[in-house]
Amino acid sequence: IVVAGYTVLTTTNKATISNERAVGTQQNIRVAMELIARDIKQAGFGLPMAPNTPVGGTAGNCATGATGTTAAAIRPVDNNSAIPLNAVNDTGADTISLVVPRTNPTNGGIPGWVLASAVPSGGAGSFTTITLTATAVTEMQNEGMQNGSGAYVSLGGVVTVPVTSSTGATITLGNPTYAPINFSAGTQVYLLQCVTYQVATGAANCDSAGPCLTRTVDSGTAPTITTSLVDGVEDLQFAYACDGCNGTINSGIPNGVIDDFNGNNTFDVADFQTNRVWAFGTFDPATIRLAQINIVARQTAIDQGTGEGIQSGALSQPLQVSDHLPSNDAGYAAATYQSFRRRFLTRTVDTRNLQ
């Protein structure tokens, strides 16, 4: 009777633990998806034209091009050491960098600050300074805005200009803005930043032994800040649909229709591109119109199964996501990989703020 009771108790306890970990994994992957999808939707905000310094300064991950002096609202980085396209498999998780507005922590986490007075004033034809509310400039400086740092502000998401200097409640802009553009008092002013999402491993990068999803923020020459966001995220794969990135389709001229790569006159999965080097002059990241996000999350601890044994054996086979098959990665260990249950989530996001 004691042995039977112990067996029931052990089985029930392990089943409960297994279910809780499965639910936690599902919650983690949904949180990761919401965070990335939110920033992809916001990417853009009227970036300056090349060759101006990119948002985040010349060292920002949103910088592209040979000299690193051109900003991209979305900068895809496909983690494939074998590009060009003769390879079929990534070597690990992809990375994405995005230009998005900095959150104002003093205003309940709402992005942006506001103008205290209209610009231009008195019927002037242009303006090079803006006046914000009393503490706004100090708050923006605390969030990484530094004079001459390559920091950019966006007025209402319409005009984006570099910051030359800032003092008191006034910001001096690097480029003049001319009529008929004008902004009323209360217009939101966004401090732009470059954020990078990637998968990290190890206790030094994650809250646990890893893996985890991290977010790196760069808003100027101030030190970048990397935060561990979600435990258990082990794979991140992106595919992109574009309008005008293929020179053989409509001569590479954007026409409001996703480029039809397989020529079947239907928008389908073949029109999403991965294993591409997105850069100006080739596959221009400014032509991206849809981003497909694929995330794999695993349990944060090895599942012990529901029996009296310590482990339950192989719980999952290698899960291929987009162009990444983990069993082809260097250092892949089947026994370790298969000891974790996983969840997979995919979503396609409209890059609505790209310009």
Side-chain angles (χ1 to χ4, degrees), residues 135-190:
T135 61
V137 171
T138 299
E139 292 167 0
M140 295 170 79
Q141 290 171 341
N142 291 338
E143 292 303 308
M145 182 181 73
Q146 296 186 9
N147 297 336
S149 68
Y152 278 81
V153 293
S154 176
L155 306 183
V158 177
V159 174
T160 300
V161 286
V163 174
T164 299
S165 62
S166 56
T167 181
T170 302
I171 293 178
T172 301
L173 308 175
N175 300 327
T177 299
Y178 296 94
I181 299 177
N182 57 81
F183 300 94
S184 61
T187 298
Q188 283 193 304
V189 179
Y190 303 99

Side-chain angles (χ1 to χ4, degrees), residues 3 87 171 191 222:
V3 171
I171 293 178
L191 172 63

Side-chain angles (χ1 to χ4, degrees), residues 128-286:
T128 56
T129 62
I130 56 175
T131 302
L132 283 71
T133 52
T135 61
V137 171
T138 299
E139 292 167 0
M140 295 170 79
Q141 290 171 341
N142 291 338
E143 292 303 308
M145 182 181 73
Q146 296 186 9
N147 297 336
S149 68
Y152 278 81
V153 293
S154 176
L155 306 183
V158 177
V159 174
T160 300
V161 286
V163 174
T164 299
S165 62
S166 56
T167 181
T170 302
I171 293 178
T172 301
L173 308 175
N175 300 327
T177 299
Y178 296 94
I181 299 177
N182 57 81
F183 300 94
S184 61
T187 298
Q188 283 193 304
V189 179
Y190 303 99
L191 172 63
L192 299 188
Q193 61 185 352
C194 177
V195 299
T196 300
Y197 287 98
Q198 57 190 338
V199 172
T201 58
N205 301 310
C206 304
D207 292 333
S208 61
C212 65
L213 176 69
T214 65
R215 186 177 190 262
T216 299
V217 175
D218 181 3
S219 57
T221 55
T224 59
I225 300 173
T226 299
T227 305
S228 172
L229 294 180
V230 183
D231 282 337
V233 175
E234 70 173 4
D235 199 3
L236 191 60
Q237 297 294 321
F238 296 95
Y240 305 91
C242 56
D243 176 19
C245 66
N246 190 338
T248 64
I249 300 175
N250 198 37
S251 301
I253 300 174
N255 59 357
V257 179
I258 297 296
D259 287 354
D260 185 11
F261 274 79
N262 58 2
N264 64 353
N265 294 318
T266 302
F267 175 62
D268 53 27
V269 68
D271 297 325
F272 281 96
Q273 298 301 296
T274 185
N275 266 1
R276 295 288 188 184
V277 178
W278 293 86
F280 295 91
T282 54
F283 275 73
D284 191 336

Side-chain angles (χ1 to χ4, degrees), residues 19-40:
N19 289 336
E20 289 176 347
R21 287 176 178 170
V23 170
T25 303
Q26 189 73 15
Q27 291 175 337
N28 285 353
I29 198 171
R30 290 187 180 278
V31 169
M33 180 63 77
E34 290 300 324
L35 292 171
I36 297 173
R38 178 197 61 187
D39 278 345
I40 289 178

Side-chain angles (χ1 to χ4, degrees), residues 5-21 303-307:
Y6 179 78
T7 301
V8 171
L9 179 62
T10 301
T11 302
T12 303
N13 182 58
K14 288 186 175 182
T16 301
I17 294 174
S18 179
N19 289 336
E20 289 176 347
R21 287 176 178 170
D303 202 327
Q304 293 186 343
T306 57

